[in-house]
């Protein structure tokens, strides 16, 4: 459709207005239409019109999504309903846009009340764009004008939101919001208008004309640097891409940084040092650390040896009790025996709590029934290829079941969550004791209980920390993953959830965990283990042209193919490479345990890409410093945008 001074550059059918806020839309409440981007004279317009007015050959029929299909909406029986709008994003805005007459069809007059919903707006009048939440019914876009009103929400029943945004990005600069990945802040390509916007926002202390030229060359870096009031950029960590933008961002005070941002610095890492791991600690070497009354001596040196080489299998049964906090490193043999007696009594008292529940009581205790059912199901498929657990009547399975049910009595708030059986299985295998395994498991859960909380905030923060480390170590790999919609590193979720339990052969898991439990060389070594695996697979991922599905498939196929010694060697080398950097950003130092957090972080930190804080001097940390890994962080990965349906 073209005419003098008029050219359609984008057209998409199946774009509906939902005129009712009811849970279930019917045919009368949906207005089918066509969205177009039109170049007219010296302006670019975004035009929507109902099908009857849109002209052309587009034919759109109303149909509810089939609940059995892959792109289905929630079924009629689904109890909850979230239309996806915040209160200020009404289904149909009460503030109607100023009508603009466009020319999709010459001389067309509204033939029905639906025609009154047609609108046309200049791209220069747009202030922000909001995308729908991922997986929430049909994808939609809400456009907000400079006047403060929002246009009717556009629901794309047959996909097309990303295609439309790509076209709009030819004419506009879409900047990502640090607080909401579903928002886009709109800037025109016109330098004078952009300078004026920066002037009113007061984001820069320097001359705004220089800022504009930098913005046009690298909009994403300059946008984030403006919020942070910085002039140095970590170029590798920031790549322009089409992700959310902010709406009304008030200018921060001159004496305070923009909330949620940290200063971005250039980071030049030195060469990666060579690392050699040692042999496992032997019984003879362990005996040299046992002093009078059975007390262990030179514990930091002993922990350092466990970190560098692991333990001989014959030592694990006793050493794991120390590593997991069941027994004290400084306790004597007699003190340990007394402690075990006390803990044995405590365990069986808790076990009796659920053992003594009658069938009639359990019938009225849905929580206990749910835990029992879930535990029985998970235990029946946990490490069944291991000789210790194989066979239908294996007593080890009964012990797993009893320990996990007793843990529900020990930790009522958390109870049992799928994946805990994976953590308990190696512990019971090593300790060969129900009581010892329970208390060692409790010690392990003290480290990772946040992984199993319903909110999943801890897992999100750990993925954020992992992304931060990887962006410092290998920005090119991060950029590649971003380009393939894998930048959130969600394919690493299982790694962090159960500390690589399903990624390595069973004996290697024992070695990996005892190394991680030492807390050396600092907290969050498990994140560096994940970085090491990605670093080992870097060339395969980047040179094979993998998309997001292929990346996920490749990562899953690494199971049981990794060498734990190679991974630990590389993880330690990455740690040394990072800590040798004299200008390591402060938030990276926090992740590595080299600096205390500057402040408590909010539960919803900024989205990816993650900015780096200014480098601060590294504190002196002894290589064998005693610390306990805390799988936590200060960054959150927001969900990836939904795929168009």
């Amino acid at each position: 459709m073209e005419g003098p001074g008029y050219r359609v550059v984008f057209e998409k059918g199946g774009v509906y207005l939902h005129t009712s806020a009811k849970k279930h839309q019917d045919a009368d409440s949906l207005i089918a239409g066509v969205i177009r981007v039109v170049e007219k004279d010296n302006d670019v317009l975004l035009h929507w019109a109902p099908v009857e007015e849109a002209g052309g050959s587009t034919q759109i029929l109303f149909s509810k999504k089939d609940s059995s299909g892959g792109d289905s909406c929630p079924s009629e029986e689904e109890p909850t309903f979230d239309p996806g709008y915040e209160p200020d994003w009404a289904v149909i805005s009460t503030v109607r846009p100023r009508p603009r007459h466009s020319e999709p069809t010459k001389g067309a007059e509204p033939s029905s009340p639906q025609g009154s919903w047609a609108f046309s707006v200049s791209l220069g009048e747009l202030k922000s764009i909001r995308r729908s939440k991922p997986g929430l019914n049909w994808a939609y876009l809400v456009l907000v004008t400079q006047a403060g009103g929002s246009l009717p929400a556009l629901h794309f029943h047959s996909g097309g939101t990303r295609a439309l945004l790509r076209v709009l990005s030819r004419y506009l600069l879409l900047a990502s919001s640090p607080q909401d990945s579903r928002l886009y802040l709109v800037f025109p390509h016109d330098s004078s208008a952009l300078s004026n916007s920066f002037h009113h926002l007061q984001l820069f202390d320097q001359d705004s004309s220089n800022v504009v030229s930098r913005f046009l060359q690298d909009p994403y870096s300059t946008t984030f640097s403006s919020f942070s009031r910085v002039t140095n950029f970590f170029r590798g960590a920031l790549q322009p891409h089409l992700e959310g933008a902010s709406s009304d961002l008030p200018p921060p005070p001159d004496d305070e940084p923009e909330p949620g941002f940290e200063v971005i610095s250039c980071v030049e890492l030195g060469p990666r040092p060579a690392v050699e791991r040692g042999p496992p600690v032997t019984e003879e070497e362990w005996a040299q650390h046992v002093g009078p009354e059975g007390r262990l001596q030179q514990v930091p040196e002993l922990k350092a040896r466990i970190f560098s080489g692991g333990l001989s299998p014959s030592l694990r049964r006793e050493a794991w009790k120390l590593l997991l906090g069941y027994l004290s490193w400084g306790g004597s043999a007699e003190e340990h025996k007394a402690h075990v007696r006390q803990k044995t009594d405590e365990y069986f008292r808790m076990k009796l709590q659920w053992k003594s529940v009658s069938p009639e009581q359990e019938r009225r205790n849905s929580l206990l029934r749910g835990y029992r059912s879930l535990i029985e199901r998970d235990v029946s498929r946990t490490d069944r290829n291991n000789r210790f657990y194989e066979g239908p009547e294996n007593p080890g399975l009964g012990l797993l079941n009893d320990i996990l049910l007793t843990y529900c009595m020990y930790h009522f708030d958390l109870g049992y969550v799928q994946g805990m059986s994976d953590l308990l299985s190696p512990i019971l295998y090593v300790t060969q004791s129900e009581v010892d395994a329970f208390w060692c498991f409790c010690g392990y859960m003290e480290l990772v209980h946040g992984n199993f909380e319903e909110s999943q905030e801890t897992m999100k923060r750990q993925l954020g920390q992992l992304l931060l480390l990887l962006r410092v170590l290998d920005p090119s790999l991060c950029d590649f993953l971003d380009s393939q919609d894998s930048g959130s590193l969600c394919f690493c979720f299982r790694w962090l959830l159960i500390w690589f339990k399903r990624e390595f052969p069973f004996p290697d898991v024992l070695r990996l965990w005892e190394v991680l439990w030492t807390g050396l060389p600092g907290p969050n070594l498990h994140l560096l283990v994940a970085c090491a695996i990605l670093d080992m697979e870097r060339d395969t991922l980047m040179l094979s042209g993998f998309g997001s599905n292929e990346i996920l498939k490749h990562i899953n196929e690494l199971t049981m193919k990794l060498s734990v010694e190679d991974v630990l060697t590389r993880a330690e080398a990455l740690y040394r490479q990072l800590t040798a950097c004299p200008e390591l950003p402060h938030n990276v130092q926090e992740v590595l345990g080299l600096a205390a957090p500057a402040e408590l972080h909010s539960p919803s930190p900024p989205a990816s890409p993650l900015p780096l804080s200014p480098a601060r001097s590294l504190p002196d940390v002894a290589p064998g410093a005693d610390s306990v890994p805390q799988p936590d962080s200060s960054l959150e990965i927001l969900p990836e945008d939904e795929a168009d349906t």
Side-chain angles (χ1 to χ4, degrees):
M1 298 176 60
E2 298 191 16
Y6 176 88
R7 184 169 73 93
V8 175
V9 296
F10 176 85
E11 181 178 280
K12 179 65 180 176
V15 182
Y16 286 69
L17 299 188
H18 292 193
T19 61
S20 171
K22 295 180 180 178
K23 175 179 179 180
H24 301 293
Q25 302 285 336
D26 53 35
D28 294 332
S29 65
L30 302 183
I31 304 177
V34 178
I35 190 73
R36 294 188 176 106
V37 177
V38 179
E39 292 181 351
K40 183 175 181 295
D41 299 327
N42 294 323
D43 199 3
V44 182
L45 307 176
L46 184 66
H47 175 84
W48 182 90
V51 174
E52 59 196 58
E53 292 189 341
S57 59
T58 306
Q59 185 72 19
I60 303 175
L61 298 176
F62 166 76
S63 62
K64 290 185 177 180
K65 286 196 173 184
D66 184 359
S67 61
S68 63
D71 299 332
S72 63
C73 294
S75 65
E76 295 289 332
E77 293 76 27
E78 185 166 336
T80 59
F81 174 62
D82 178 4
Y85 307 99
E86 281 71 20
D88 54 334
W89 302 101
V91 176
I92 295 298
S93 174
T94 57
V95 182
R96 297 300 305 275
R98 295 192 305 272
R100 294 177 63 102
H101 299 288
S102 57
E103 304 177 14
T105 54
K106 300 288 185 180
E109 293 293 330
S111 57
S112 74
Q114 292 185 352
S116 64
W117 290 107
F119 66 85
S120 183
V121 61
S122 170
L123 298 190
E125 295 182 13
L126 295 180
K127 181 179 183 180
S128 62
I129 303 173
R130 172 179 282 266
R131 289 190 74 176
S132 55
K133 296 178 181 178
L136 181 66
N137 295 347
W138 291 292
Y140 67 79
L141 294 177
V142 177
L143 295 88
V144 178
T145 64
Q146 296 287 348
S150 59
L151 300 173
L154 302 173
H155 294 257
F156 291 72
H157 286 205
S158 57
T161 57
R162 294 188 180 184
L164 175 59
L165 291 172
R166 280 194 294 268
V167 172
L168 295 180
S169 66
R170 301 178 194 169
Y171 307 96
L172 302 168
L173 297 174
L174 304 178
S176 174
S177 166
Q179 305 298 337
D180 188 343
S181 64
R182 298 187 293 120
L183 280 176
Y184 300 79
L185 184 64
V186 176
F187 292 99
H189 278 295
D190 177 66
S191 295
S192 61
L194 192 57
S195 298
N196 189 50
S197 298
F198 286 145
H199 173 72
H200 288 296
L201 289 174
Q202 300 177 7
L203 294 178
F204 298 95
D205 295 328
Q206 62 267 41
D207 178 54
S208 60
S209 61
N210 295 332
V211 173
V212 170
S213 62
R214 283 172 30 218
F215 191 98
L216 295 176
Q217 295 172 3
D218 193 352
Y220 215 79
S221 296
T222 312
T223 299
F224 276 100
S225 66
S226 70
F227 295 140
S228 305
R229 296 177 176 272
V230 296
T231 55
N232 295 324
F233 301 98
F234 182 50
R235 296 286 180 180
L238 298 172
Q239 169 149 335
H241 58 79
L242 206 55
E243 296 288 345
S246 171
S247 54
D248 292 319
L249 289 177
D254 290 341
D255 57 346
E256 296 182 10
E258 177 71 14
F261 278 91
E262 294 172 323
V263 181
I264 304 166
S265 305
C266 291
V267 177
E268 293 292 339
L269 297 179
R272 188 173 301 172
V275 172
E276 291 186 9
R277 290 185 54 77
V281 177
T282 63
E283 292 186 40
E284 292 77 12
E285 186 177 357
W286 184 274
Q288 294 175 5
H289 290 270
V290 179
E293 301 180 342
R295 298 183 190 274
L296 288 173
Q297 301 174 332
Q298 299 176 320
V299 173
E301 289 80 354
L302 182 57
K303 284 187 177 182
R305 277 289 294 118
I306 298 173
F307 167 76
S308 66
L311 292 161
S312 297
S314 59
L315 290 173
R316 285 182 175 140
R317 185 171 182 177
E318 294 303 318
W320 279 26
K321 300 174 188 178
L322 299 165
L323 289 168
L324 290 169
Y326 175 33
L327 299 179
S328 169
W329 287 94
S332 66
E334 289 301 319
E335 290 170 346
H336 285 168
K337 289 179 182 179
H339 182 75
V340 169
R341 287 194 297 269
Q342 175 190 345
K343 289 297 184 180
T344 300
D345 291 342
E346 188 176 343
Y347 171 76
F348 283 107
R349 281 198 302 270
M350 289 186 291
K351 182 175 181 179
L352 185 62
Q353 291 175 5
W354 64 266
K355 277 284 191 180
S356 60
V357 173
S358 67
E360 184 67 16
Q361 286 177 299
E362 187 168 331
R363 186 177 65 82
R364 294 188 295 269
N365 190 333
S366 60
L367 187 61
L368 180 59
R369 289 200 315 271
Y371 285 150
R372 188 189 294 274
S373 174
L374 185 57
I375 289 171
E376 288 176 354
R377 185 181 63 193
D378 286 356
V379 164
S380 66
R381 56 192 184 190
T382 298
D383 290 329
R384 297 308 302 276
N385 58 342
N386 187 299
R387 184 174 301 177
F388 188 76
Y389 297 108
E390 67 183 3
E393 301 297 331
N394 193 298
L397 301 180
L399 293 178
L400 284 177
N401 183 86
D402 290 358
I403 293 171
L404 292 171
L405 275 171
T406 305
Y407 185 78
C408 294
M409 302 294 105
Y410 173 78
H411 200 317
F412 284 102
D413 291 338
L414 185 59
Y416 177 80
V417 182
Q418 190 173 21
M420 291 183 181
S421 60
D422 280 288
L423 301 185
L424 174 60
S425 170
I427 296 175
L428 180 59
Y429 170 83
V430 167
T431 60
Q432 305 279 308
S433 164
E434 180 180 0
V435 174
D436 292 346
F438 173 82
W439 290 112
C440 287
F441 175 69
C442 291
Y444 198 176
M445 288 302 299
E446 285 298 310
L447 300 177
V448 299
H449 70 88
N451 293 5
F452 299 94
E453 292 175 351
E454 186 176 1
S455 68
Q456 290 293 292
E457 289 299 319
T458 298
M459 288 300 302
K460 293 174 184 177
R461 289 193 295 269
Q462 286 184 89
L463 287 170
Q465 278 192 322
L466 175 59
L467 180 57
L468 176 63
L469 292 175
L470 191 64
R471 199 167 283 283
V472 176
L473 290 165
D474 196 340
S476 298
L477 176 58
C478 281
D479 291 342
F480 167 76
L481 295 174
D482 282 338
S483 70
Q484 302 303 320
D485 294 328
S486 299
S488 64
L489 305 182
C490 286
F491 52 83
C492 301
F493 186 92
R494 187 178 70 186
W495 295 359
L496 307 183
L497 179 68
I498 52 176
W499 278 24
F500 309 93
K501 165 62 167 53
R502 300 185 185 178
E503 317 311 319
F504 294 94
F506 197 86
D508 285 358
V509 171
L510 308 183
R511 174 61 47 81
L512 174 65
W513 282 4
E514 62 198 15
V515 170
L516 294 177
W517 291 337
T518 64
L520 300 176
N524 296 317
L525 178 61
H526 65 297
L527 299 180
L528 288 169
V529 169
C531 289
I533 297 174
L534 293 175
D535 185 67
M536 294 168 69
E537 299 301 316
R538 178 186 193 275
D539 292 342
T540 302
L541 293 173
M542 296 184 66
L543 300 180
S544 300
F546 285 162
S548 58
N549 291 335
E550 290 79 10
I551 292 173
L552 178 60
K553 181 175 181 290
H554 178 75
I555 294 298
N556 287 336
E557 290 175 348
L558 295 177
T559 300
M560 305 301 162
K561 298 179 182 178
L562 299 168
S563 166
V564 71
E565 289 297 329
D566 291 344
V567 171
L568 286 172
T569 299
R570 190 170 300 230
E572 185 178 355
L574 294 176
Y575 177 85
R576 294 186 183 182
Q577 183 182 25
L578 288 169
T579 55
C581 177
E583 298 181 351
L584 193 66
H586 183 72
N587 51 357
V588 179
Q589 294 182 39
E590 292 178 14
V591 175
L592 299 178
L594 303 176
E599 59 182 356
L600 294 177
H601 297 273
S602 64
S604 300
S608 172
L610 302 173
L612 301 175
S613 64
R616 303 185 187 179
S617 58
L618 295 177
D620 295 330
V621 178
D626 186 10
S627 60
V628 179
Q630 298 292 335
D632 195 10
S633 75
S634 60
L635 299 167
E636 178 183 19
I637 287 297
L638 297 175
E640 294 188 49
D641 292 331
E642 80 286 358
D644 288 339
T645 57

